[in-house]
Amino acid sequence: SGTVCDCGRYRRVVGQLNVNVARLNTSIKFVKNVIAGIRETDEKFYYIVKEEKNYREALIHCKDRGGTLAMPKDEATNALIADYISKSGLFRAFIGMNDMEKEGQFVYADNTALQNYSNWKEGEPNDPTGREDCVEMLSTGEWNDSECQVTIYFVCEFLKKRK
């Protein structure tokens, strides 16, 4: 009691700290998006794994790291992943959809049904051999049913941690 607060000086220090934090957040986003090659939405991160694996191996790879194969459930997410695939110089990558349980009834990797959105390439899914039970996204953003045993790159998705 009886001491005088030099509050103006503390406000300036706090203000400068806020500016520094904003700069660091911008730098972190740059590192994630450009250097590390991660894409993100408000709720999720997406990462192309440039290791050729079959569908089941890709599922396990993503799960072991706390994620799942990417599940584009709307046009904006699909476009983000397609742009990512295209800008990575790839033609295709596995995403988290399959009809392994019931032929012709595609579900996401989390076993939920496809709902109001799909982006099948014209004439797909066609499954001419009866073995195309998994889904790849083409660099155009279109989906194609594919054999699960082919080994290609894949896209994992991770939920952002809530504070």
Side-chain angles (χ1 to χ4, degrees):
S1 76
T3 59
V4 177
C5 175
D6 186 7
C7 296
R9 184 169 65 113
Y10 293 117
R11 283 190 192 104
R12 281 191 301 276
V13 170
V14 169
Q16 188 57 50
L17 286 173
N18 285 336
V19 169
N20 291 346
V21 167
R23 284 184 185 147
L24 285 171
N25 283 334
T26 300
S27 296
I28 288 168
K29 191 169 186 173
F30 174 80
V31 168
K32 286 190 299 190
N33 291 339
V34 178
I35 297 170
I38 292 173
R39 298 292 187 276
E40 62 183 293
T41 63
D42 288 343
E43 297 173 2
K44 296 177 182 174
F45 294 109
Y46 298 90
Y47 182 68
I48 292 178
V49 178
K50 293 186 176 178
E51 295 176 35
E52 293 184 348
K53 296 189 181 296
N54 69 36
Y55 185 85
R56 287 188 192 277
E57 292 168 340
L59 268 177
I60 292 166
H61 183 96
C62 295
K63 186 177 180 187
D64 285 351
R65 285 151 184 83
T68 187
L69 277 173
M71 299 178 288
K73 295 183 178 181
D74 57 57
E75 190 173 341
T77 303
N78 199 79
L80 178 105
I81 296 168
D83 182 65
Y84 188 16
I85 291 169
S86 176
K87 287 188 175 159
S88 295
L90 303 176
F91 173 69
R92 64 186 187 161
F94 273 133
I95 54 175
M97 283 180 263
N98 68 77
D99 72 341
M100 289 185 253
E101 289 294 317
K102 185 174 181 190
E103 183 61 34
Q105 190 170 356
F106 284 86
V107 295
Y108 288 107
D110 63 5
N111 289 318
T112 59
L114 273 66
Q115 288 147 5
N116 301 329
Y117 179 76
S118 68
N119 197 36
W120 293 105
K121 184 176 178 180
E122 190 173 332
E124 302 295 343
N126 62 2
D127 199 5
T129 62
R131 293 192 307 253
E132 293 188 348
D133 294 330
C134 294
V135 179
E136 62 189 14
M137 182 186 288
L138 307 178
S139 58
T140 60
E142 296 171 308
W143 304 348
N144 175 51
D145 57 336
S146 172
E147 290 189 21
C148 300
Q149 290 310 310
V150 298
T151 54
I152 60 175
Y153 295 164
F154 53 98
V155 184
C156 293
E157 79 176 29
F158 304 90
L159 275 173
K160 289 184 176 180
K161 302 284 187 230
R162 294 285 174 213
K163 293 180 182 177

